[in-house]
Amino acid sequence: MKKINISAYQPIVDIQDHIVFANNGNVVLCYEGNLPEIYSLSEKDFEDMHGAWFQALKSLPIGTVVHKQDIYLKKSYSSEQLPNTTFLEKATHEHFKGRGNIEHKCYLFFILTKNKALNNPKYVNPFRKISKGIVQELDDNIKSFANSVNDSVSFINNSRKIEFLPLNAEDIQQLTSSYFNGFNEGFDTDILLEKKSVNVGENHFDALAINSELCFGENVQSSKTNEKFTSDDFVFHQGFIDGLGLTLNENHIVNQIIYLDDKQKWRKLLDKKIEELNKSSNFGSQNKVVLGKIQHILDQINADDNSRIIRGHFNIVYWSKDVRELDKITSKIKTEFKELDIIPYYPRGEERKNYILNSYCCFSSNFSNNDLYVTDLKHALCLFINNTNYKSDKTGIIFNDREHNIPVLKDVWDEKKKRIKARNFAIFAPTGEGKSFLANNILRQYFESGVRLVIIDLGGSYTKFAKLYPEKYTVLRYESGKNLGINPFYISDVKDLTPERLEDLSVFLFELFASDLKVTKAQSVSVKKILRHYYNSTSENHSLEGYYNFIERNQEDLLSTLKIHPDYFNVTSFLHVMSEYVGDGLYSFLFEVSEDQTYKIEDKRLIVFELDEVKDNKEILSVMLKLIKSAIQRTIWKNRAEKGIILFDEFAKQLKFENVLESVEFYYQAIRKQNGAIGIILQSINQLPNNSTSASILENTQVIYSLNNEKGYEELVKRLNLSSHDLNQLKSIKNNLSGSRKYTEMFIKIGKESNIFRLEVPKEVYAAYLTDGQENEDIMKFYEEHHDMQKAIIQFTSKT
């Protein structure tokens, strides 16, 4: 048995910024990678990244060693990133705490070797010849090498999909100590090198490798079919060796090491090998196979001026506390290799030690010809892993990733507008797929993070979650023959009468009495003049009826007093149309006011307008939306610094009436000046008429949520210009509504980024979002009993 005490054999002599001076004379430039999310990439994305890698690496100096290292560690989710203040936040925090997942870190090392020829003996024990080493200065040779590497990294980063950033000294030291400490946490330990296994602390290590051209099957490619998500009518892609990455779900390291050799040297060597094999090819079928493979490589080199010959080494180092588990992991990895038509090499004894120790970045130039396969750089780059875990933003709405069901924060507000110019959103899903559930989830989290919500609802889906915040919400419900208590003309002080306020009021009046006409500038000026005159002449009790009566009383000389030409304001027409809304007019009840109740909403952060009873009456709904708009402008939009969201639920029912769409488009125009967003919920995108107004709404909607739709997604793709990979993602949606971890899957697109996310919630949150059915009735019974929604939910969940 041999033992290595890493603290006595430090492999690093010095670190300057991200440049490591190793004890064996190597100089290593270290980077950490930021890769795209798993499942977010299309076949073309994989091809493009493969191309970017080739262009970036092909011109590096002869003798460079490139080492890409992907480390996968089993972890428990800590919930630290999740908010933990309110009742539902605490439930979510507890629900996910301790959930198993895989942490992935990707590193890229460029090694300038002391041994330029890279002609090592079969075994190099990196610790045996370790010297105290002389700290090298950044001489011209190193500077020139660093410049070449810098150009390469810049090229990769410019591909926009992948980003590599310099690793700082502290992180390099941490990586070194973790590697040689066998990823044991909480204690330092020795490396024990035995014939049968490599042990570091509690962990038993093993390895599998690709160390010869004979390991490879017919071909390699930049991506392959992902069998899990592919079905008869679409193909979902994954990277060629992604099955050995995140989805392996074990503690392991994938090492991809490339020796950039001199093309001419290898051409001569291969010629010589072919000559030898030609002489002996009659002595066995194996020789014929090898001859065929080497001839193929040589033909490729000769045919492609762009080809770059490399020697490569690929290995997977994996470990477990239980030595019996190692066999299971080995067979799991072998199965993945078999799917790729690759036969891995299983190193034992001395060789295993050699592979494990020399897969550390300072030592990865130590492999011998016997450990390396010869091929073209393009071939070797198919063995690069180009994606990683779902990425959490610093703040955002909690969804779940598709791999481990752990929370992922997605910043769909995008304060700095890095991904989206407009933060308006749309939710598409047929009945019964969980639209309201998803909307509740998004809005509840926005609300708890301080965003003000206005919900225009025709279905009664939000009052339950609102009741969790008794002091902060108000529900204004339309009841037949009653008003909403909103008086657009109300001012508490003469200072309220700003130019903006007069502008808003004039727009409101035109929408009522000239909704089908194009308003000219002259007409707009006229109405504002009359409004100012009305407020100057009337000191209190301002209302639509008061304004109407004022014009009626003064109709003889009103226009001449204000120097308004009769063409610009038709008094008779105005009085005739508006008579419907005052006195004993058909819709006068809408504007009857004993007092203005907008004060009810001024200090509320969650306002629900329930218009369920009015959804089939075009005229009343239209007026209601105008009243609500006036209330929003006077209260919520008064403070531009405050974030606000307006949601139109069951939007399709409102869209049956042509003027509603224009009314909603107004919100989209106005919201640009506010710190706000608009959300619409539709069963299908076809419910939006195919016209310029709808096109303008969709153009200004840059966050898209789509739940499962058995009828397909063709219209969604067409109207939203989604990519073919977006469609593949949509088609791959699968819900799981049985078992201990129930979830729904949804497609989320933020600007140009898209992926499939899951929604899994704890039982308390589930209870808060329920909108119908027996369970909902049970919760509401408990609420009637306690008049406390939190108590009702606790009582309900303790029984289920």
Side-chain angles (χ1 to χ4, degrees), residues 475-508:
V475 175
L476 295 175
R477 186 176 286 109
Y478 171 76
E479 290 171 64
S480 187
K482 293 185 181 173
N483 63 30
L484 268 185
I486 296 171
N487 176 3
F489 287 79
Y490 176 81
I491 55 169
S492 54
D493 191 284
V494 74
K495 288 183 199 144
D496 287 354
L497 211 62
T498 58
E500 288 84 6
R501 186 66 196 282
L502 284 168
E503 198 69 59
D504 291 342
L505 264 176
S506 72
V507 169
F508 173 75

Side-chain angles (χ1 to χ4, degrees), residues 208 210 224-225 227 238-250 252 314 316 328-344:
L208 281 164
I210 302 173
K224 68 183 277 280
T225 301
E227 300 299 344
Q238 65 180 55
F240 186 65
I241 65 153
D242 280 2
L244 298 166
L246 267 183
T247 53
L248 193 64
N249 220 11
E250 299 291 349
H252 69 292
F314 178 99
I316 297 182
K328 286 185 192 166
I329 302 170
T330 304
S331 65
K332 228 168 144 177
I333 295 170
K334 281 183 174 171
T335 303
E336 286 296 334
F337 272 126
K338 195 173 180 185
E339 293 223 345
L340 302 174
D341 197 16
I342 291 173
I343 301 162

Side-chain angles (χ1 to χ4, degrees), residues 41-261:
L41 300 167
S42 67
E43 184 180 17
K44 186 177 182 304
D45 292 330
F46 285 114
E47 275 171 31
D48 291 348
M49 284 190 288
H50 181 270
W53 276 114
F54 179 71
Q55 293 299 331
L57 301 185
K58 71 171 184 179
S59 305
L60 283 166
I62 287 168
T64 303
V65 176
V66 179
H67 181 177
K68 184 167 177 293
Q69 185 172 69
D70 291 272
I71 300 176
Y72 299 91
L73 302 175
K74 283 185 166 183
K75 296 281 181 183
S76 286
Y77 186 73
S78 70
S79 287
E80 275 171 21
Q81 203 187 352
L82 304 182
N84 193 20
T85 312
T86 66
F87 169 57
L88 297 183
E89 282 175 349
K90 283 176 181 169
T92 305
H93 190 277
E94 278 310 300
H95 181 74
F96 292 107
K97 197 174 181 180
R99 180 164 292 190
N101 65 297
I102 296 284
E103 178 190 276
H104 173 210
K105 289 228 187 299
C106 168
Y107 300 104
L108 186 61
F109 307 106
F110 296 88
I111 301 141
L112 176 65
T113 57
K114 209 165 185 190
N115 166 16
K116 283 279 183 299
L118 294 166
N119 53 354
N120 297 303
K122 173 63 184 155
Y123 296 122
V124 181
N125 182 338
F127 292 104
R128 193 170 285 148
K129 290 184 182 172
I130 217 157
S131 65
K132 282 294 163 212
I134 300 150
V135 176
Q136 280 176 272
E137 293 303 314
L138 286 171
D139 62 20
D140 289 344
N141 189 20
I142 297 170
K143 282 180 184 163
S144 163
F145 179 70
N147 286 338
S148 299
V149 168
N150 199 26
D151 289 347
S152 274
V153 172
S154 297
F155 191 92
I156 297 166
N157 291 349
N158 285 337
S159 72
R160 302 265 175 103
K161 284 263 184 274
I162 328 172
E163 181 184 40
F164 282 90
L165 301 171
L167 206 54
N168 63 41
E170 195 183 317
D171 288 338
I172 295 166
Q173 291 284 20
Q174 179 60 50
L175 174 62
T176 304
S177 76
S178 291
Y179 191 91
F180 289 111
N181 203 36
F183 298 93
N184 287 284
E185 290 184 356
F187 60 89
D188 286 337
T189 187
D190 296 330
I191 300 172
L192 303 178
L193 305 169
E194 299 181 61
K195 277 273 180 240
K196 289 192 176 173
S197 68
V198 174
N199 296 345
V200 190
E202 298 176 339
N203 293 333
H204 302 273
F205 279 71
D206 213 337
L208 281 164
I210 302 173
N211 66 347
S212 151
E213 309 84 71
L214 298 176
C215 294
F216 292 104
E218 279 301 302
N219 62 346
V220 296
Q221 57 224 40
S222 56
S223 68
K224 68 183 277 280
T225 301
N226 178 323
E227 300 299 344
K228 186 177 170 188
F229 297 120
T230 295
S231 79
D232 295 343
D233 62 335
F234 73 101
V235 177
F236 205 91
H237 281 265
Q238 65 180 55
F240 186 65
I241 65 153
D242 280 2
L244 298 166
L246 267 183
T247 53
L248 193 64
N249 220 11
E250 299 291 349
N251 285 312
H252 69 292
I253 302 171
V254 177
N255 293 295
Q256 295 129 312
I257 299 163
I258 293 173
Y259 289 24
L260 291 159
D261 281 322

Side-chain angles (χ1 to χ4, degrees), residues 316-384:
I316 297 182
V317 175
Y318 49 99
W319 63 94
S320 173
K321 283 183 182 169
D322 182 350
V323 76
R324 287 165 304 184
E325 274 294 307
L326 275 185
D327 292 339
K328 286 185 192 166
I329 302 170
T330 304
S331 65
K332 228 168 144 177
I333 295 170
K334 281 183 174 171
T335 303
E336 286 296 334
F337 272 126
K338 195 173 180 185
E339 293 223 345
L340 302 174
D341 197 16
I342 291 173
I343 301 162
Y345 173 71
Y346 194 15
R348 312 308 291 251
E350 191 73 19
E351 195 141 40
R352 182 191 296 148
K353 280 183 332 203
N354 187 46
Y355 282 9
I356 292 171
L357 294 178
N358 287 319
S359 291
Y360 167 67
C361 61
C362 290
F363 305 147
S364 43
S365 62
N366 284 346
F367 290 102
S368 76
N369 254 343
N370 295 342
D371 307 310
L372 300 162
Y373 58 84
V374 181
T375 188
D376 179 62
L377 177 59
K378 284 180 182 170
H379 179 287
L381 290 172
C382 291
L383 304 185
F384 269 25

Side-chain angles (χ1 to χ4, degrees), residues 615-633:
K615 62 187 174 209
D616 296 320
N617 187 314
K618 172 182 168 177
E619 187 62 39
I620 298 179
L621 180 61
S622 177
V623 173
M624 282 292 170
L625 289 172
K626 293 178 181 74
L627 284 170
I628 290 166
K629 186 162 76 183
S630 99
I632 288 169
Q633 283 165 326

Side-chain angles (χ1 to χ4, degrees), residues 444-454 469 471-474 600-607 636 642-643 645:
R444 188 270 298 178
Q445 292 181 61
Y446 266 137
F447 175 74
E448 292 188 338
S449 67
V451 177
R452 204 164 181 180
L453 302 182
V454 177
Y469 316 96
E471 302 302 312
K472 295 177 181 171
Y473 84 95
T474 186
K600 277 187 183 178
I601 65 176
E602 276 181 23
D603 60 343
K604 303 295 184 197
R605 285 193 31 255
L606 172 52
I607 302 137
I636 293 137
E642 189 177 43
K643 294 177 180 176
I645 288 177

Side-chain angles (χ1 to χ4, degrees), residues 569-581:
F569 186 78
N570 187 325
V571 176
T572 315
S573 170
F574 176 83
L575 292 173
H576 172 64
V577 172
M578 297 303 278
S579 64
E580 246 193 336
Y581 303 112

